[in-house]
Amino acid sequence: MDRKKFLRNGLFGLGAIIALPTAISSCSKDNDNESSDDTGNNSGGDCSVSPAETKGPFPILTPAQYVRASIIGDRTGVALLMTLTIEDQSNGCTPLANVFVDVWQCDKDGLYSQYATQTSANYLRGRQTTNQNGQVSFISIFPGWYPGRAPHIHVEILTPEGRSLLVTQIAFPVSTYTSVYATDGYNGAPDTSNTQDSIFSNSLSGNMADSVTGNNTDGYTLLKKITVA
């Protein structure tokens, strides 16, 4: 689907996100095309398997119920469009079509949905099936942070039968999250940096988003290649 049309369709009636339909045209000229501030990344020709990481304490409880492109729910924040490309290392790193991609993240306040200790709502969780190019896209907001963790998004890749192929996490460039967290509504600088993070500090080059472009007004576009064994 055309990405501008994807944004228009996904955000119809969602007034919390401002000016996201212009994000695609604005991203390439309003901000650096960042692959990483504090590490190299595995974009380009690298075919290494992406780092396996913990699901964390708040995985999706019933992912099949959340097949949707927009995962925003009732949350507010700086707009984020994620496009993930899944590749199969065992088949020459060709695109992996027709597999499930589950994503989940915290909101701008660092809270996850579905859990009694957080909130019982169902925001910022979703599932899509990869197309023939191995790609899925989700309309979201830039995640916040919570004590002890650097900003991140959780991803799980599963076969159509439900067998997990990989659980991983995506990290953000420092300059990007520093800019976002200076805006109203977010909680300022995180207490844990990428290199201090207990989950991906030892695998940061593989976790880092391949590209994050955009600005705080129009939103950001995140691109990430994830390779499974």
Side-chain angles (χ1 to χ4, degrees), residues 23-41:
I24 296 304
S25 60
S26 301
C27 286
S28 62
K29 58 188 177 184
D30 288 338
N31 206 29
D32 292 338
N33 187 352
E34 300 174 348
S35 57
S36 172
D37 305 277
D38 46 12
T39 173
N41 68 41

Side-chain angles (χ1 to χ4, degrees), residues 27 48 63 67 73 75 89 95 110 122 151 164 177 187 198-199 210 212:
C27 286
S48 302
V67 178
R75 302 294 93 177
Q89 189 194 54
N122 298 307
S164 181
Y177 72 62
N187 294 325
S198 61
I199 301 300
D210 296 333
V212 181

Side-chain angles (χ1 to χ4, degrees), residues 80-224:
L80 178 68
L81 171 65
M82 296 181 276
T83 296
L84 312 179
T85 302
I86 314 304
E87 296 183 344
D88 182 4
Q89 189 194 54
S90 67
N91 190 28
C93 279
T94 55
L96 191 56
N98 300 315
V99 293
F100 295 138
V101 179
D102 293 349
V103 299
W104 62 101
Q105 64 173 84
C106 67
D107 66 6
K108 64 181 179 60
D109 297 313
L111 299 177
Y112 286 88
S113 64
Q114 289 195 335
Y115 289 81
T117 56
Q118 304 275 292
T119 170
S120 60
N122 298 307
Y123 56 76
L124 299 176
R125 301 176 179 276
R127 166 176 285 187
Q128 290 282 286
T129 302
T130 56
N131 62 20
Q132 293 305 304
N133 296 318
Q135 292 185 329
V136 294
S137 291
F138 294 91
I139 297 171
S140 186
I141 60 170
F142 202 97
W145 61 274
Y146 50 94
R149 287 301 315 273
H152 61 278
I153 291 176
H154 298 265
V155 183
E156 184 170 16
I157 317 301
L158 305 99
T159 67
E161 296 75 33
R163 178 173 63 88
S164 181
L165 298 174
L166 180 73
V167 178
T168 191
Q169 297 183 22
I170 300 173
F172 290 87
V174 172
S175 63
T176 304
Y177 72 62
T178 299
S179 176
V180 172
Y181 293 162
T183 63
D184 291 340
Y186 285 86
N187 294 325
D191 69 355
T192 303
S193 68
N194 287 338
T195 56
Q196 296 171 327
D197 189 87
S198 61
I199 301 300
F200 51 58
S201 61
N202 63 347
S203 57
L204 188 53
S205 63
N207 294 103
M208 184 61 62
D210 296 333
S211 172
V212 181
T213 54
N215 59 71
N216 295 336
T217 300
D218 299 321
Y220 290 87
T221 296
L222 179 154
L223 304 178
K224 177 63 176 172

